Amino acid sequence: MINEKVQNAINEQIKNELFSAYLYLSMSAYFEEKNLPGFAHWMRIQSQEEVEHAMKFFDFINDRGGKVTLFAIEQPKTAWKSALEAMKDAYAHEQLVTSMINNIYEIALTEKDYPAQVMLHWFIDEQVEEEKNASEIVEQLKLIEERGSAMLMLDRQLAQREED
Ligand code: MG
């Protein structure tokens, strides 16, 4: 059986991952509007990955004989001043998610829920990757200062992202 405190924290995190999916989908729509289809594509894949994260937690609770509870997802931001501002928001959001994952891990440690600890190792690794990816794009955007031809090149690069 899953520990109750761990279950509560994971149910909360299912919502947080789905909010992440919603936020990145909103960013994808923003980039479509700005005629940056590569950025839009990158964010759309990012959004799909967040749904997968939510489902990993969903399956974990069910596999352990627990009870999934879905909470309300708030509306994400719908407009940004620039691509840089949006990517900075994405990076800050991933840092926030990292702190959430670390917090659940703390609970799993305190409650001695070993299966939850093992499951969370995947998320701890994943957050290193998520922060790295978002921060790299932020740094590249700063470097090119959103100049036309450099933006088009970065947009083409982000268009290459494949689903995993
Ligand atoms: Mg996630």
Side-chain angles (χ1 to χ4, degrees):
M1 254 321 252
I2 190 167
N3 174 281
E4 202 186 331
K5 283 181 188 163
V6 172
Q7 175 177 289
N8 292 344
I10 292 178
N11 271 323
E12 197 61 41
Q13 193 59 24
I14 291 173
K15 179 202 71 185
N16 294 334
E17 298 291 341
L18 290 174
F19 174 77
S20 301
Y22 227 34
L23 175 65
Y24 296 140
L25 194 58
S26 188
M27 287 180 178
S28 182
Y30 163 77
F31 286 124
E32 289 285 358
E33 190 194 334
K34 294 287 158 191
N35 298 307
L36 290 167
F39 280 80
H41 168 80
W42 193 93
M43 278 299 173
R44 190 179 177 126
I45 301 246
Q46 185 69 12
S47 176
Q48 287 166 3
E49 276 196 17
E50 299 304 342
V51 175
E52 286 168 23
H53 294 169
M55 294 318 292
K56 267 185 201 285
F57 284 123
F58 182 99
D59 289 340
F60 182 77
I61 291 182
N62 288 324
D63 288 349
R64 305 271 316 278
K67 164 93 179 99
V68 168
T69 306
L70 297 178
F71 300 117
I73 306 167
E74 63 179 290
Q75 185 186 7
K77 205 166 150 178
T78 55
W80 289 266
K81 285 199 201 86
S82 62
L84 177 60
E85 194 198 36
M87 286 309 310
K88 276 185 174 169
D89 266 14
Y91 179 40
H93 185 70
E94 284 308 319
Q95 289 175 304
L96 175 66
V97 171
T98 298
S99 70
M100 289 166 169
I101 299 287
N102 291 346
N103 183 50
I104 305 171
Y105 193 72
E106 276 295 324
I107 296 169
L109 285 178
T110 312
E111 299 299 316
K112 296 184 166 30
D113 186 331
Y114 302 111
Q117 290 171 28
V118 172
M119 181 272 296
L120 286 162
H121 287 164
W122 184 89
F123 280 94
I124 292 167
D125 278 344
E126 176 70 9
Q127 284 312 116
V128 173
E129 198 59 32
E130 296 280 34
E131 286 194 35
K132 174 177 167 272
N133 293 341
S135 128
E136 264 177 16
I137 301 171
V138 167
E139 291 312 311
Q140 286 174 8
L141 281 170
K142 283 185 190 164
L143 210 62
I144 66 178
E145 292 173 326
E146 307 206 20
R147 272 192 291 265
S149 58
M151 273 304 271
L152 288 177
M153 280 174 66
L154 182 54
D155 190 63
R156 271 177 211 149
Q157 185 195 315
L158 296 180
Q160 310 291 317
R161 182 174 184 178
E162 288 172 15
E163 292 177 46
D164 38 33

